[in-house]
Amino acid sequence: MKGTSKYAPYVFIGPTLILLTVFSLLPILVAVYISLTDMDLAGLADYSNISFVGFRNYVDILSDPVFLVSLRNTLFYVIIGVPLVIVCSLAVALMINFGRNRVFKIFRVVYYLPSVTNVVAVAVVWSYLYNPGIGLFNYMLTSLGFDRVPWLTEPTIAKLSLILLALWRGIGLNMIIFIAALQGISRSYYEAAQLDGASNWQQLTRITIPMLRYAIVFVSITTMIGWLQFFEEPFVMTQGGPLNGTVSASLFIYQNGFQYSHFGYAAAGSFILFFIIIAITLLQLRLQRKQAEE
């Protein structure tokens, strides 16, 4: 019995470790090897056509103007999209949590539905909304006397249009996280503050926001990672156009890997994006830890 109990933990974690190795660690090692080769469709059909090129793919992709544009676009998405999602999700969560009317329970479902809706179906609907000729948005603008907006045909406006769509889809999940954190705050804090004559704004800034610190850190990190991998919206709506104005780093990797069959080149790009995500995440964690210590 003593010998059996000694190996029991390994028996329980063994299947998980096997699955992790087969489906996570092994594919990563294979991708590392592919990134150091010139693998393409010919190499996929016959391994003898694959040549080891070392770090040439990494050097080439870092000097690729389209890849650099995709990184700038991704940075644009992150700088604008992440704060918007966090602020809007928190605002909606506060409204639903502290709202006393029953209609706020319906809002919880209304705001959450976009996050579980199929992105292709959503893109079709929003394509009609953004349509320059018959779209609802331009119809409303012209009815109010404004000029038509080139929602998906001008690079900067197209990026903002995709951010608006992603914001609409991204509020729901973070809203649920914030609501769960809000419901974990003891009512005694608010009762004590009300006895001391604290206003609603003071309760929000002195109690609610500080008590949501860990939830905000979690949401900010996961949202940042998600926006650094921004893919579905530009892939479905614009295919990276116009003039590569909306191509993201993830879309660039997909196009080179699955459209142009440059598997080694795409793998190198994926690892560069991976290291960027890791670096930004570690930096964000360090800043959050420093603020918490202060």
Side-chain angles (χ1 to χ4, degrees):
M1 292 295 292
K2 187 175 181 179
T4 303
S5 62
K6 179 180 178 181
Y7 294 103
Y10 301 100
V11 173
F12 284 109
I13 67 173
T16 302
L17 291 177
I18 293 172
L19 291 173
L20 179 65
T21 302
V22 172
F23 294 104
S24 294
L25 299 180
L26 186 59
I28 290 174
L29 294 176
V30 172
V32 170
Y33 173 74
I34 292 174
S35 72
L36 302 175
T37 67
D38 62 350
M39 188 177 194
D40 54 12
L41 279 179
L44 192 62
D46 185 358
Y47 293 160
S48 62
N49 293 323
I50 301 176
S51 300
F52 185 82
V53 298
F55 291 99
R56 192 179 73 191
N57 285 330
Y58 291 89
V59 174
D60 290 345
I61 200 169
L62 287 173
S63 60
D64 188 332
V66 179
F67 182 70
L68 297 178
V69 167
S70 73
L71 290 180
R72 287 197 295 270
N73 291 340
T74 302
L75 183 63
F76 184 92
Y77 293 135
V78 168
I79 291 175
I80 296 180
V82 172
L84 277 176
V85 170
I86 294 173
V87 171
C88 292
S89 300
L90 181 57
V92 171
L94 290 169
M95 177 185 68
I96 292 174
N97 187 72
F98 292 108
R100 304 193 178 200
N101 197 302
R102 290 183 179 180
V103 73
F104 289 106
K105 294 182 179 180
I106 301 175
F107 285 164
R108 186 178 305 186
V109 178
V110 170
Y111 281 106
Y112 184 69
L113 277 178
S115 64
V116 296
T117 306
N118 184 276
V119 65
V120 177
V122 169
V124 171
V125 174
W126 280 73
S127 295
Y128 283 107
L129 295 176
Y130 283 140
N131 187 283
I134 61 173
L136 176 62
F137 291 157
N138 276 341
Y139 173 79
M140 294 174 62
L141 289 174
T142 54
S143 298
L144 295 173
F146 297 100
D147 295 331
R148 296 178 183 271
V149 175
W151 296 106
L152 298 176
T153 55
E154 197 279 326
T156 301
I157 296 178
K159 283 194 284 285
L160 294 174
S161 300
L162 295 180
I163 289 173
L164 180 61
L165 169 57
L167 173 66
W168 178 77
R169 290 188 64 243
I171 288 177
L173 182 59
N174 293 329
M175 174 200 70
I176 295 296
I177 296 172
F178 282 132
I179 289 176
L182 285 167
Q183 293 180 350
I185 301 175
S186 175
R187 296 296 306 175
S188 60
Y189 293 112
Y190 297 103
E191 292 171 357
Q194 290 169 2
L195 289 174
D196 290 338
S199 64
N200 291 334
W201 176 253
Q202 289 174 326
Q203 293 178 47
L204 175 65
T205 55
R206 303 294 178 86
I207 299 176
T208 306
I209 301 300
M211 296 294 288
L212 290 177
R213 180 173 66 253
Y214 295 110
I216 292 173
V217 170
F218 174 79
V219 168
S220 62
I221 291 175
T222 54
T223 304
M224 176 81 71
I225 293 173
W227 281 79
L228 285 169
Q229 301 177 74
F230 195 61
F231 173 75
E232 290 94 344
E233 286 78 4
F235 172 71
V236 177
M237 297 285 290
T238 63
Q239 291 291 315
L243 302 174
N244 294 318
T246 60
V247 63
S248 63
S250 295
L251 181 58
F252 175 88
I253 293 167
Y254 169 83
Q255 290 174 336
N256 279 273
F258 294 97
Q259 292 183 1
Y260 310 141
S261 301
H262 300 156
F263 301 122
Y265 198 69
S270 67
F271 277 102
I272 291 174
L273 180 60
F274 170 77
F275 289 125
I276 291 174
I277 292 174
I278 291 295
I280 293 178
T281 302
L282 291 176
L283 177 62
Q284 193 172 11
L285 284 172
R286 184 174 180 179
L287 293 174
Q288 296 288 354
R289 191 178 300 113
K290 186 176 180 180
Q291 290 178 358
E293 291 174 354
E294 294 176 352

